[in-house]
Amino acid sequence: MNDGRLITTIFLMLLSPVATVNVNAVATAATHLQKDADTVRQLLETNSCMGCDLREVNLEDAKLKGANLRGANLRLAQLSGIELSRADLVNAILRNADLINASLVDTNLSNADLRDTNLIASFLTRANLSSARLENANLTNAYLKGANLQGANLQGANLEGADWRDAILCQTTLADGTISNRDC
């Protein structure tokens, strides 16, 4: 549940004259919100949050150039317009995340889970996507020029209008399920 829905739920629970308020549930939800806020504050202040749980976080338009998010869980995160150039996202989980117009230039996304991720018009120029899982990702109009896609899985991905000139394809599973060894 995202923060907005959780706050609304807690608020409605407190206002409802017929509902019995479970004080422990409200306290647990408040603790969860504080933990999430503390984690985001740590990331924004230090530009590092290795292995952090940032599921469903909203970091739209955040400036995190060179951030260390190695192994972070950003599943279902709202990351449209984010600046993550030269960031370390090795082994990060970005499944179902929204990265529309994100800047991921020279970013290390090796072994990242990007399944079902929305990467429309994102800038992945020279990004390291080796062994990344990009199944069913939406890469419409994405810029992948010079990206390393060695061992990546793009099966079912939408690559309509994507610019992937000079991308490295070696043991790369393409959208149609075929394997490209063009650059091996």
Side-chain angles (χ1 to χ4, degrees):
M1 181 178 291
N2 68 33
D3 290 351
R5 290 193 326 233
L6 185 57
I7 291 169
T8 302
T9 302
I10 292 168
F11 182 71
L12 292 174
M13 286 172 54
L14 292 173
L15 291 180
S16 176
V18 293
T20 303
V21 176
N22 181 335
V23 176
N24 288 335
V26 172
T28 300
T31 301
H32 178 71
L33 283 176
Q34 183 59 46
K35 178 182 168 271
D36 287 352
D38 290 345
T39 303
V40 170
R41 186 174 20 265
Q42 173 196 337
L43 171 60
L44 295 175
E45 288 175 1
T46 67
N47 212 32
S48 182
C49 204
M50 289 177 55
C52 286
D53 185 354
L54 294 164
R55 283 175 288 181
E56 299 184 41
V57 71
N58 185 339
L59 290 169
E60 289 184 58
D61 299 315
K63 306 298 180 215
L64 295 168
K65 191 174 196 174
N68 185 350
L69 288 161
R70 184 178 282 256
N73 185 347
L74 291 149
R75 186 179 186 136
L76 294 164
Q78 295 301 314
L79 306 170
S80 291
I82 195 166
E83 168 61 61
L84 278 168
S85 294
R86 293 195 295 275
D88 183 349
L89 287 154
V90 172
N91 296 317
I93 300 167
L94 292 146
R95 190 166 187 180
N96 294 104
D98 189 354
L99 285 147
I100 295 172
N101 291 316
S103 180
L104 299 157
V105 176
D106 295 315
T107 296
N108 191 347
L109 289 152
S110 63
N111 296 306
D113 184 351
L114 294 150
R115 289 176 288 170
D116 304 302
T117 298
N118 191 352
L119 290 152
I120 293 173
S122 287
F123 296 89
L124 292 148
T125 307
R126 296 179 309 278
N128 181 357
L129 290 155
S130 60
S131 300
R133 299 198 59 192
L134 290 148
E135 295 101 303
N136 301 310
N138 189 346
L139 290 152
T140 302
N141 297 321
Y143 299 91
L144 292 151
K145 189 172 180 184
N148 180 356
L149 292 163
Q150 184 172 351
N153 187 342
L154 293 154
Q155 190 161 4
N158 183 347
L159 292 160
E160 185 177 337
D163 179 358
W164 51 328
R165 288 175 288 161
D166 304 321
I168 298 167
L169 303 178
C170 179
Q171 298 176 347
T172 305
T173 304
L174 302 177
D176 64 2
T178 60
I179 306 290
S180 175
N181 288 310
R182 180 185 75 192
D183 301 308
C184 291

